[in-house]
Every structure is written in structure tokens, then in C-alpha cells.
Amino acid sequence: MTPSAHIDSFARDHLPPRAQWPELIFELPELAYPARQNCAVELLDRMVADGHGERIALRTPEAACTYRQLLCRANRIARVLREDLALVPGNRVLLRGPNNPMMAACWLAVIKAGCVAVATMPLLRARELAQIVGKAEIGAALCDVRLIDELEAARGLSPFLRQVLLFNDGGAGSLEERLEGKADDFVNVDTAADDAALIAFTSGTTGEPKGTIHFHRDVMAMCDCFARAILKPDADDIFCGTPPLAFTFGLGGMLCFPLRFGASTVLVEKLLPESLLATIQNSRASICFTAPTFWRLMAPLAKDYDLSSLKQCVSAGEALPDATRQSWKQATGIEIIDGIGATEMMHIFISHTPEKVRRGATGYAIPGYRARVVGADGRPLPPGVVGRLAIQGPTGCRYLADPRQKDYVVDGWNLTGDAYRMDEDGYFFYQARTDDMIISAGYNIAGPEVEDALLAHPAVAECAVIGVPDPERGQRVKAVVVLRPDCTASAALIKELQDFVKKRIAPYKYPRTIEFATALPRTETGKLQRFRLRAIENP
Ligand code: 3UK
């Protein structure tokens, strides 16, 4: 590895042993990064130096901030970190806030100062925050004043966190007050391209949170792979969407991609389907990132908004049902770009351009990445056979001191935990999370395929399909269905839905049990928590 700029060597010291890393590939010319690189400097100082200073970088519904203004603010914050908090390169800094300009400026400042950003999801509770603080040995935090309560409580549970500064707060001692007295220049820390820039904690569904270490060059690689090859943005693009900056899906889509291409991003703190549509309309956004449920809920509302500025729509986080793809296309004429990404991989690695869409497929391995489907023995399976998805690319999984590294990386390949099938042309078809595959009477059934079939029925707003214990079949297919507001549950509707599924997919896959619910359990990143539905079944 390149000599580190970190004085506090915690991140490097806690990388997995080299033999447990995935194989990394840097075949694309745009990935030939120099040995020394600071990604925040590339995204901000360089853009100003290249003449983007007077262009808008960040927007909110009320205000706008140029690249130069953002640079000055990040420089001042970096000075506070170094001069007031006495932080040294390599120290971890916890960031906590909704998507807003201060949160973005803080992220850039932490990295310019050579520190390691640990952004946390706004909805995390004290216990979860304390686990992260303890695991990453975080001594300082920058926190939006409105989210301080849980962090304050976490402080009581963890001895590491010594300094907390509040932002978006005019009060005495706040970050804003400290910025007043600071010069707006800063000597950036000349980090190694393979120094840690961030530790992203997974939105994992079970067990202790896992921290994934990403380098400065990994941040550049997500911009230069998915964004450059699939979105091909230019400086006039306006990005918007829902994923939090603490989720690498949002870190890319809502901050790093726009900055990498001199474009701008609209940061909005809390979005619902209606307000996301209004944001696209009012800020004339051209690229929108969100999860499949949002696309599905927005489709019937789209006609009431002027979406003429919108060019590209990105869906990730969970599988995009074909019914959702089609209803958004009918409403707007736009082909959604699906992409599978993972916190471990930093961002998206299988996706497609709108022209190369293939119905039912997530896409193909994007430039820079390799993908294959492997069997239990790790050997590649032929096209058409369902197995485990394995990925290699310029980014990959490096858990912070975690024995689960050897589950995710096997023989140099990243195993994402997803069951996939590949066709002859190299398109990848999502089946289910490996742990969510249903085995019923000897058949392998992928819940999402059954969900897809149900979602095509006009009465179904949302649904989840799980396997539940069954004395005869081992597992039985069960669907939990949320109906559209104008529909009522009945035994006749259950029968109708079952017959509907039997006509669309192989009849043995139909849900033998259907229950109705008013909502489905989801994570903050929009993922359905099937394990919580299964837990109701086996209390
Ligand atoms: C699932 C998908 C089918 C899949 C993420 C884009 O979701 C992200 O990261 P997470 O660590 O979860 C990873 C897992 O989520 N998944 C994500 N996208 C899709 N399944 N189709 C998709 N399009 O199980 C994957 O293993 O929370 C997504 C960019 C950055 C990310 N971190």
C-alpha cells in the first residue's frame, strides 16, 4: 500500500488481512488514479480550479450555493476540526443529519482534513449509534441540532465520543458560530489514494452492524464507473432524490456524482412521493434517484406534475418489479435505470442504459466490473442456472475488523448474498436474497417473482412474499398484501389474487396463504424486511 497520510492509523490497522480482500481490477483507463489522492479535493477544489466556481453546486427548495461557496464553507469546517477539535488525519468523525447543505459540507470537510467520515442514518437510535461509535472508535461528531437526542444518549453508552458540535443551530458554541472566525482557505491533507475516506455501516437486517472501509479512490471509482458509464451526466444536470447521504446509494447520487461532473444537486430533508414529484417539477431536476416503492407510488401521481425536465430515473436498494417499470414508463415515457449496488461494493455494479434494458433483468456488469453466478462450490454456473452472485471490480468489501469478511469475500470474489441467474447475453436476473429463497415441496421459489405477479393486479398497492413453515411442504408460500385505498379485503379477493398469480407464473408458485396488512415493515433505505414478517409467523 502507499505510505499513509494518517497519523491515527486505526483504519489501516483494522483492515482485513490482504489474503481476505477481494481481487481488485483497474482495467479502465479512467480508473488509473495517482498514488496520492484526496477525493474531497478532487470533487471540490479541483472543480473550482477548473472553472466551475461560480456554478451552482447545492440547491435546496429555498436557496443555492456555488462550488466556490461550498469550498469556502468546507474549508472553514476543516479548520474547526483541526484547530478547535485538534483532530489529526485518520481520526474518525461521526456525521449525523438529514440531507442538507451543512451535512454535505461537513462530509467534504472531514475528508479534506484527512479524517474518516462515518455518516449515520438519521433514524438510528442511541444503542445503534453507540455500537458504531464503539466499533469505529469515534472521538468526535458533527450533528444536526434536530438529531442530537439519540446521539447524546449514545454518548452515555460509549466512552469514545468526547466532542460533539451541533450544526444548523445558531446557538453559542455551535459549528456555525465557530465558522465565523475562520479563514476560508485550508491546506488539504495529501492522503494516499488507498487511505480510508469513509467507513459505511451497512443497513444490514440482522446482527451487529458491519462497517465497510472505503478508500479515497473508491469514491472516485463509483463516480467513474456507474455515473460516467451509465448516466453520462454533464454540468447542466440537476440531481435529486431520496437516499440519505449516510447510505452510499445517496452519497453517490445526491453528492459525489453531481460534484464529479460539475452538476448540481437538490438536497431535501424529508421526501414523500408527492414532494419528490414537486421537487423535480420546481427545481427542474433532470436525474432522480430513489427506491422501487417510490417509483411505484409516484407513477399514478405523475400526471399532476410538470416532469418535462426529467431525463434519467435510477432505482436501487431492492429489486425493481417489472410492473413498476411499466407503470412509470406509461406515466412519463421514461425507462427506469435499475441498478444493484451494495454498501460493501460502495455503489452500483450491475445496471443498464435505458436503451439496453431487458425486461425482468437488473442489467449487465457495468464497465469496470465483472459478474458471474456461482454454485455452492464457488465455480461458475452455466447460463440459465440460479446460483450466488459474485462480483469483482475496482471497489470491494473490506469490513472493519469483522470475521464476516470471509463470508462476503470467497476466492477473491465478493458474494453479495443474492441469488441470480444469467442469460446467454450476460444479463443478470435477480431471484431473491439467498436467505429468502423459498423451498416448497422440493421446488425453489423466489419470493420477488411471486410479488411481481401480484403487483400486476390492480387491487395490490404493495406486497411481500415469504416462506412459512409447513408440515407437508417444508415451506409454504405466503403473501402479505397491502391493498390500494379503494379496495376491500375478502375471501373472494384472496381467491381472485391466487388465480391471477397462477395465470402469470408457474401455478406451483402461487401463494397458498394470503393475508392483508395496512403497511409492510421497511428499513430506512426502503428495503422490505421479510425476516420481520417471518418472525411474526414463528414468534
Ligand atoms: C439488494 C438489490 C435487486 C441486494 C445500495 C445502490 O442497496 C444498497 O446497499 P445495501 O448494502 O444492500 C445491498 C443489497 O440490496 N439490492 C440493491 N439494489 C438492488 N436487489 N435489485 C436491485 N437493483 O440484495 C444487495 O445485495 O443497503 C444500492 C447503491 C449503493 C448501495 N449501497
Side-chain angles (χ1 to χ4, degrees), residues 294-334:
F294 257 70
W295 293 119
R296 182 164 174 84
L297 295 170
M298 290 197 301
L301 310 172
K303 59 178 183 322
D304 300 330
Y305 297 83
D306 171 7
L307 304 179
S308 56
S309 58
L310 192 61
K311 291 188 303 199
Q312 311 212 68
C313 299
V314 179
S315 176
E318 57 177 8
L320 176 69
D322 188 59
T324 303
R325 172 185 287 293
Q326 301 309 333
S327 60
W328 183 253
K329 196 173 169 182
Q330 266 159 28
T332 64
I334 302 176

Side-chain angles (χ1 to χ4, degrees), residues 202-203 247-249 315-320 338-344 346-348 362 408 416-418 420 430 433 525 527:
T202 55
S203 50
F247 182 25
T248 58
F249 181 38
S315 176
E318 57 177 8
L320 176 69
D338 191 3
I340 176 172
T343 306
E344 287 83 353
M346 185 93 208
H347 215 273
I348 290 173
T362 313
Y408 203 97
T416 64
D418 297 292
Y420 261 86
Y430 178 77
R433 290 286 306 166
T525 55
K527 281 193 221 309

Side-chain angles (χ1 to χ4, degrees), residues 130-148:
Q131 281 180 322
I132 291 173
V133 166
K135 209 145 184 208
E137 301 189 8
I138 304 175
L142 304 177
C143 179
D144 190 297
V145 64
R146 292 159 296 171
L147 294 178
I148 184 59

Side-chain angles (χ1 to χ4, degrees), residues 128-426:
E128 299 157 302
L129 289 167
Q131 281 180 322
I132 291 173
V133 166
K135 209 145 184 208
E137 301 189 8
I138 304 175
L142 304 177
C143 179
D144 190 297
V145 64
R146 292 159 296 171
L147 294 178
I148 184 59
D149 292 352
E150 294 292 330
L151 189 63
E152 207 46 69
R155 236 173 144 170
L157 301 172
S158 176
F160 290 104
L161 193 56
R162 294 180 313 276
Q163 316 192 73
V164 178
L165 284 185
L166 297 179
F167 59 85
N168 288 327
D169 169 36
S174 68
L175 179 57
E176 277 84 357
E177 192 193 60
R178 288 168 186 269
L179 298 184
E180 298 277 320
K182 297 294 178 196
D184 62 11
D185 60 341
F186 182 73
V187 180
N188 296 307
V189 173
D190 186 24
T191 43
D194 56 4
D195 272 331
L198 63 138
I199 302 173
F201 278 84
T202 55
S203 50
T205 44
T206 43
E208 278 254 312
K210 291 174 271 194
T212 63
I213 300 175
H214 293 297
F215 300 156
H216 289 265
R217 66 162 192 243
D218 299 330
V219 175
M220 304 316 292
M222 75 169 160
C223 302
D224 293 334
C225 290
F226 176 70
R228 193 177 293 281
I230 302 293
L231 299 178
K232 309 181 184 80
D234 64 40
D236 291 325
D237 274 309
I238 300 177
F239 287 66
C240 75
T242 57
L245 295 173
F247 182 25
T248 58
F249 181 38
L251 180 66
M254 297 296 96
L255 185 64
C256 299
F257 299 170
L259 296 184
R260 178 66 165 159
F261 296 94
S264 69
T265 179
V266 191
L267 297 175
V268 188
E269 297 196 347
K270 182 86 194 94
L271 283 167
L272 297 170
E274 291 81 2
S275 48
L276 180 54
L277 286 162
T279 301
I280 299 169
Q281 167 182 282
N282 299 337
S283 48
R284 305 281 311 148
S286 56
I287 302 182
C288 180
F289 282 70
T290 192
T293 33
F294 257 70
W295 293 119
R296 182 164 174 84
L297 295 170
M298 290 197 301
L301 310 172
K303 59 178 183 322
D304 300 330
Y305 297 83
D306 171 7
L307 304 179
S308 56
S309 58
L310 192 61
K311 291 188 303 199
Q312 311 212 68
C313 299
V314 179
S315 176
E318 57 177 8
L320 176 69
D322 188 59
T324 303
R325 172 185 287 293
Q326 301 309 333
S327 60
W328 183 253
K329 196 173 169 182
Q330 266 159 28
T332 64
I334 302 176
E335 190 78 69
I336 295 176
I337 298 171
D338 191 3
I340 176 172
T343 306
E344 287 83 353
M345 300 302 299
M346 185 93 208
H347 215 273
I348 290 173
F349 43 84
I350 289 176
S351 183
H352 62 90
T353 58
E355 312 77 62
K356 290 207 202 155
V357 64
R358 184 161 293 190
R359 267 181 101 154
T362 313
Y364 41 84
I366 64 170
Y369 286 85
R370 291 180 197 142
R372 60 194 209 180
V373 173
V374 300
D377 59 0
R379 295 231 201 99
L381 293 170
V385 181
V386 174
R388 303 192 293 170
L389 183 66
I391 305 291
Q392 285 179 341
T395 59
C397 178
R398 285 177 300 252
Y399 286 132
L400 170 75
D402 202 306
R404 290 168 287 187
Q405 177 74 19
K406 57 179 182 2
D407 302 329
Y408 203 97
V409 178
V410 178
D411 297 335
W413 289 82
N414 297 278
L415 299 178
T416 64
D418 297 292
Y420 261 86
R421 145 178 88 72
M422 189 186 77
D423 72 9
E424 300 279 353
D425 301 325

